[in-house]
Amino acid sequence: MAIARKRPTMIELQPTFCPGCGHGVASRLLAEVIEEKGLLNNFVMAMGVGCCASMRRHWGGEILQCAHGRTAAAARGLKIGRPDTCIVTYHGDGDAYVIGLQETLNAAYTNSNITMIVVNNTNFAMTGGQMSWTTLPGQKTTTSTGAGRQSGVPIQVPEMIVNSFPDVAFVARGSTYCAAEINKTKKLIQTAVDCQIQNKGFSLVEILCQCPTNWGMTTQQACNHIRDVVTKYYPLGILKDVEGDGRQ
Ligand SMILES: Cc1ncc(C[n+]2csc(CCOP(=O)(O)OP(=O)(O)O)c2C)c(N)n1
Ligand code: SF4
C-alpha cells in the first residue's frame, strides 16, 4: 500500500517544473528538512536564475531572488546581516559552477557559514539546454550538436572545493534518480543544514538531477542515464565531513 507523505508547508501550490524533473524532488527535500528542523520562520532561500526560478510561483517560504551567478555572494551577505537565520542557496550548475564559480569558490574559501544546494543536470536547462562546464563528453546539447561535447572535461566543483579549501564543514553529492538515493540525499541536506546551525562553516550538497526535457529522454530513461552514465563522472557520496566518517 502506498504511504501518503504530507506536502511540506512551504510548497503552497503545484510546482511547474516539467514532468519528471529532478528539481521537484530536490526542492521538496529541502522543504521537508527545513520544516522538520523547525526553521520555517527562520529560513531564507537564496535562489539563483534558472529553472529553479519558477519556484517563486509555488514556494511559500522567504526567497531572495539573486542575479544569475551571484547567488553565493548574496547568500553570504544575507548571512552577515542575519547570522541567526538559516540561509540556503538553491540553484543549477550553470548558476553555481559556471557564471557563479567565483562566488561559489569564494564562499568556500572564506568558509562562510552558509549551505549551498546545487542541482547538476549537466546543462543550462532554462534557456533551452545549452552546454555547461558540467556537460559530459559526447553529450549532445543545443550548443554541442553532432557528436556532442568534444573538448574539455566535466567540472567537479565539490572535489575542487575539498581539495583546495580543507577547512569547509561538509561537501557531498547525492541524486534524485531512485528512491534509495533520494532518501540518502535528504540525509545529506539534513547534515549540511546541521553544520550551518552549529556554526561549523561552509556546506554544499550537489544533487545529480534528471532533465528529461533537454536530454530528450523519458523520465525513466533519464534516471537510468544518471545511474549508468552521469555517476561515472560525478561519484555519489560524502567528500568532506568535519565530524569525520560514520555520521550518516
Ligand atoms: C547575467 C545573465 N547571463 C545569462 C542569463 C541567461 N540565463 C538564465 S538561466 C541560465 C542558465 C541556467 O542554468 P542552470 O543554472 O544550470 O540552471 P537549470 O536551468 O539548468 O536548472 C542562463 C544562461 C541571465 N539570466 N543572466
Ligand atoms: S527544462 Fe529540465 S531542469 Fe528545467 S524544469 Fe524542465 S526537466 Fe526540469
Side-chain angles (χ1 to χ4, degrees):
M1 190 176 69
I3 300 169
R5 292 175 75 172
K6 182 181 164 290
R7 177 169 52 80
T9 305
M10 276 194 292
I11 299 183
E12 290 185 339
L13 298 170
Q14 177 76 27
T16 52
F17 302 120
C18 305
C21 176
H23 266 298
V25 181
S27 56
R28 177 179 173 130
L29 292 180
L30 175 61
E32 288 180 3
V33 169
I34 294 303
E35 185 162 2
E36 287 161 11
K37 291 193 178 297
L39 293 168
L40 273 183
N41 297 317
N42 197 19
F43 164 72
V44 180
M45 171 195 283
M47 178 187 278
V49 173
C51 287
C52 60
S54 76
M55 289 165 67
R56 291 197 304 254
R57 299 192 195 104
H58 70 259
W59 187 267
E62 266 196 85
I63 293 173
L64 175 72
Q65 174 65 72
C66 309
H68 191 35
R70 310 288 87 86
T71 314
R76 290 180 63 218
L78 203 51
K79 189 70 182 176
I80 290 167
R82 290 171 64 168
D84 297 328
T85 298
C86 179
I87 309 291
V88 178
T89 71
Y90 185 91
H91 38 163
D93 51 274
D95 191 283
Y97 295 167
V98 185
I99 188 171
L101 182 63
Q102 188 272 344
E103 283 78 358
T104 297
L105 293 186
N106 200 42
Y109 168 71
T110 52
N111 202 12
S112 299
N113 193 33
I114 61 169
T115 301
M116 295 185 63
I117 306 291
V118 182
V119 166
N120 180 358
N121 54 22
T122 74
N123 76 105
F124 293 137
M126 191 196 85
T127 40
Q130 292 82 13
M131 193 175 89
S132 168
W133 286 352
T134 56
T135 297
L136 307 187
Q139 182 178 339
K140 288 187 188 178
T141 69
T142 51
T143 49
S144 56
T145 54
R149 182 178 185 172
Q150 293 298 301
S151 61
V153 290
I155 191 169
Q156 293 176 306
V157 175
E159 282 81 351
M160 192 186 292
I161 286 172
V162 297
N163 289 331
S164 306
F165 314 121
D167 290 345
V168 295
F170 186 77
V171 178
R173 184 179 288 116
S175 181
T176 54
Y177 77 75
C178 71
E181 294 302 335
I182 290 169
N183 287 336
K184 283 191 217 165
T185 300
K186 182 169 177 179
K187 289 200 181 106
L188 299 178
I189 297 172
Q190 284 167 335
T191 306
V193 170
D194 282 343
C195 283
Q196 184 181 160
I197 293 168
Q198 295 159 16
N199 290 313
K200 295 208 164 128
F202 181 85
S203 54
L204 182 148
V205 180
E206 176 179 302
I207 307 179
L208 303 179
C209 283
Q210 60 276 20
C211 173
T213 300
N214 287 315
W215 294 359
M217 298 180 186
T218 65
T219 303
Q220 190 60 62
Q221 287 168 339
C223 290
N224 292 348
H225 176 70
I226 295 177
R227 182 194 63 201
D228 300 338
V229 180
V230 183
T231 53
K232 303 289 184 289
Y233 293 92
Y234 295 112
L236 301 181
I238 297 172
L239 288 99
K240 170 73 195 288
D241 185 349
V242 72
E243 296 291 309
D245 295 334
R247 170 152 65 169
Q248 293 288 312

